[in-house]
Amino acid sequence: MTVLVFVETGAGGVTEVSREALTFARGTGAPVHAVLIGAQPDGVLAELGAYGAEEVHHVTGSAFDAYGGATWAAGLEAALVASGADTVTAAGTPRGMEVLAHLAARRDVAMAANVVSADGDIVTRQVVGGSVLEEMRLPQRPAVFTVAGHAVEAQPAAAPTTPAVTVLEPELPPQDLVARVVSTEPAGPDRSGALTSARVVVGAGRGAGGPNGFDGVVELTEVLGGALGVSRVVTSLGWRPHHEQVGQTGSRIAPEVYIPCGISGAIQHWAGCASSKTIVAINTDDEAPMVTKATYAVIGDMHEIVPAITAEVRRRRRQG
Amino acid sequence: VTNVLVCVKRVPDVGSAVTLTPDAQGVDARHVGFTTSAHEACAVELAVRIAADTGGTATVLTVGDGDAVEQLRTALGVGCTAATLVETDPAALGPVDVAREIAAVVRSHEGDGRGHDLVLLGNDAADSGDFQVGIRLAYLLERPVVNGVKTVSVEGGTVTAVGDGPDGVETFRVPLPAVVTVLEGGVEPRYPTITGRMKAKKTPIETREPAGAPAGPGRVRLTLPPAQPSTVEILGRGPEAAPAVVDLLESLGVTR
């Protein structure tokens, strides 16, 4: 019994959601092995040790210079064979979903997406944007599933390990190298990256009233140094660009504070903002789901309340 | 000339509350209605554009019950020119089954001399959220697959697909035939015109039996997460509440 975790890393080391996946894997009680694919930042091994990985399979070689779903899955498959693991998991990110779906197709086994708990052969996972849970049988081996974001809190292991490292350099057949990234253009400041990493997000929905109804929320966003997020109806109506959308078909945010203004709180939107630590809803309807699910709320017209908040922040700053 | 197949799914149009069917196997959509799964309106738009740009065709496919013809007609109304329904109870199918049914249609159309060089799908279905049908389909058809992109174009037998990756905007180029899964946001889906709607009504729907017995979704049951009692604290009404909001923001350390 071994759980193999496909770990994603960035400039800051192991990503938060991959730490969550490692924590989830440890929770099964089985030994945890981690898989790293391609070049890695310094210090990753120590981090994986802190999260209790007993072995690390590092897949390298020129094939892994550029990302491809099939390419990465071939690397993960090599680690699967080397480890003899009977469970493979990853964070439920676009990459995690894609690589594990490839692996499941290659091994002809099922894959469960967005799992929140596992009990023997039964996993519980999020469906319908996280508003419904499905209990699903996953009897085949390897069991392949992704862990839903924030299903568990990332927790270092009680007893850190010094993982043994195996370097794998698999020979890949040409078909696994066809669909790879040919170029990456760094994201500009207007991309959704700013939204997913912001400490404060100000949201706006149908209550904005029209394409010209966003001046107030944009100003509050600037004053708080945050990011603007909007609901799907706003992007569908063409009031704001799609990269600002928070929701099931937009960005998933997890800020310290989310201030949704004039957003009713449909499932589509809640799927993207449920991980916010504190929600301060501003809405005319005190029975709107966004209000009843919020931590705090102000009842009234966003077009009156939002400028008043901006003015109050500025007033206090002037007073020092 | 690129002949595109675009796959869509009829899903419950859930708003802010979900009810389950008494057998706990599905979402009770009697009072909410149905729609096309979110990313697929953009996949349809891309299919229609690619067909127009290359002088090819855009065919829409769904695997579902007879009511799913509504979603096929929606796609026909915005420019798809042929439609296929694999008629079956969608709740009895898992992602492995859906991929196999789509593959069977692609092979059958190929045999009839109307093959699809490019298959477009949504990245994930709004209801079952399996995130894998397109990838499984690519393995069945032995084609390359690009996943989760926002724009797709075809030139000279090569597909260029562009999407957001962890480090920026990523470009993929793969040779046809290929499979691509699409995320919402790269293109604006067009609205149907009156003539488009008229054409859609008249277009015959190719209806097919499933190619095989389903393995099923592995579903034991659906449950609703326990309803959290509202613990909202109302800070006030109207702009007079602004000082209370700023007090709160200061206490949370986000006013800088």
Side-chain angles (χ1 to χ4, degrees), chain A residues 67 70 95 97-98 101-102 104-106 109-111 113-114 122 125 127-137 178-187 191-192 199-200 222-225 232 235-236 242 245 248-249 256-257 259 265-268 278 280 286 289 291-292 294-300 304-305 308-309 312-313 316-317, chain B residues 14-18 20 27 38-39 95-96 124-132 135-136 139 144-147 150 164-175 184-186 188 191 217-226 229-239 241-250 252-256:
Chain A
Y67 175 78
R95 287 275 202 268
M97 297 283 194
E98 182 177 21
H102 272 273
R106 297 164 81 96
V109 295
M111 177 186 98
N114 283 325
I122 307 280
R125 67 185 196 97
V127 295
V128 198
S131 62
V132 178
L133 297 175
E134 179 189 60
E135 291 168 17
M136 176 183 166
R137 282 183 295 275
V178 175
R180 290 198 300 163
V181 173
V182 293
S183 68
T184 305
E185 205 178 301
R191 306 301 297 192
S192 54
R199 290 185 69 229
V200 186
E222 284 166 3
V223 162
L224 295 176
R232 185 162 184 248
T235 57
S236 298
H242 188 276
Q245 191 195 113
Q248 193 178 351
T249 54
E256 292 292 319
V257 183
I259 309 174
I267 284 163
Q268 151 73 228
T278 300
V280 187
D286 61 5
V291 171
T292 59
T295 344
Y296 301 93
V298 178
I299 307 306
E304 295 173 7
I305 296 165
I309 295 170
E312 179 68 11
V313 172
R316 292 190 192 190
R317 277 194 194 148
Chain B
V14 296
S16 55
V18 176
L20 300 180
V27 171
H39 304 298
V96 171
D124 56 280
D127 57 352
S128 53
D130 289 308
F131 292 84
Q132 56 194 271
I135 290 168
R136 289 189 186 276
Y139 279 88
V145 56
V146 182
N147 215 46
K150 290 190 169 173
D164 295 330
D167 303 315
V169 178
E170 295 175 338
T171 302
F172 294 83
R173 269 187 208 100
V174 296
E184 186 179 86
E188 291 256 328
Y191 291 100
R219 177 172 298 164
V220 179
R221 62 172 184 149
L222 299 178
T223 61
L224 294 176
S230 178
T231 55
V232 65
E233 183 183 325
I234 304 291
L235 296 172
R237 289 179 181 270
V245 174
V246 180
D247 286 348
L248 172 69
L249 296 178
E250 280 179 351
L252 295 170
V254 294
T255 50
R256 290 189 297 180

Side-chain angles (χ1 to χ4, degrees), chain A:
Chain A
M1 290 260 297
T2 298
V3 181
L4 193 61
V5 183
F6 165 56
V7 172
E8 292 177 77
T9 58
V14 178
T15 62
E16 183 69 12
V17 281
S18 282
R19 291 165 191 259
E20 291 172 5
L22 287 161
T23 307
F24 188 101
R26 263 191 355 254
T28 64
V32 174
H33 291 196
V35 182
L36 297 169
I37 299 180
Q40 296 298 326
D42 293 338
V44 166
L45 287 180
E47 281 188 82
L48 294 174
Y51 276 82
E54 294 182 10
E55 286 189 35
V56 173
H57 305 271
H58 188 184
V59 183
T60 63
S62 60
F64 302 98
D65 291 345
Y67 175 78
T71 317
W72 255 230
L76 180 58
E77 201 171 10
L80 172 65
V81 172
S83 66
D86 61 3
T87 301
V88 184
T89 188
T93 60
R95 287 275 202 268
M97 297 283 194
E98 182 177 21
V99 173
L100 263 60
H102 272 273
L103 182 78
R106 297 164 81 96
R107 306 301 287 195
D108 199 18
V109 295
M111 177 186 98
N114 283 325
V115 165
V116 295
S117 65
D119 182 9
D121 286 349
I122 307 280
V123 294
T124 301
R125 67 185 196 97
Q126 296 176 345
V127 295
V128 198
S131 62
V132 178
L133 297 175
E134 179 189 60
E135 291 168 17
M136 176 183 166
R137 282 183 295 275
L138 202 59
Q140 296 162 314
R141 294 293 175 268
V144 178
F145 63 86
T146 64
V147 179
H150 311 297
V152 293
E153 195 177 329
Q155 291 277 3
T161 54
T162 307
V165 180
T166 315
V167 175
L168 298 168
E169 293 185 64
E171 290 273 334
L172 265 49
Q175 68 265 26
D176 288 338
L177 299 168
V178 175
R180 290 198 300 163
V181 173
V182 293
S183 68
T184 305
E185 205 178 301
D190 65 334
R191 306 301 297 192
S192 54
L195 193 52
T196 50
S197 60
R199 290 185 69 229
V200 186
V201 175
V202 180
R206 193 187 289 274
N212 301 320
F214 293 84
D215 293 354
V217 286
V218 168
E219 201 176 356
L220 179 59
T221 302
E222 284 166 3
V223 162
L224 295 176
L228 177 66
V230 301
S231 66
R232 185 162 184 248
V233 67
V234 166
T235 57
S236 298
L237 291 167
W239 294 354
R240 298 293 299 185
H242 188 276
H243 67 77
E244 292 178 353
Q245 191 195 113
V246 170
Q248 193 178 351
T249 54
S251 294
R252 311 273 167 127
I253 59 169
E256 292 292 319
V257 183
Y258 180 43
I259 309 174
C261 307
I263 296 181
S264 68
I267 284 163
Q268 151 73 228
H269 189 73
W270 188 252
C273 71
S275 300
S276 306
K277 290 215 172 65
T278 300
I279 295 179
V280 187
I282 297 172
N283 207 294
T284 52
D285 178 2
D286 61 5
E287 290 180 2
M290 187 53 90
V291 171
T292 59
K293 287 179 176 176
T295 344
Y296 301 93
V298 178
I299 307 306
D301 183 349
M302 61 180 276
H303 295 293
E304 295 173 7
I305 296 165
V306 171
I309 295 170
T310 305
E312 179 68 11
V313 172
R314 286 200 173 122
R315 191 185 66 78
R316 292 190 192 190
R317 277 194 194 148
R318 278 197 305 275
Q319 290 181 346

Side-chain angles (χ1 to χ4, degrees), chain B residues 1 10 34 45 47 65 106 108 110 154 181 204 237:
Chain B
V1 176
R10 175 180 170 87
F34 289 85
E45 176 63 32
D65 58 24
V106 172
S108 165
E110 219 161 59
V154 175
T181 78
R237 289 179 181 270

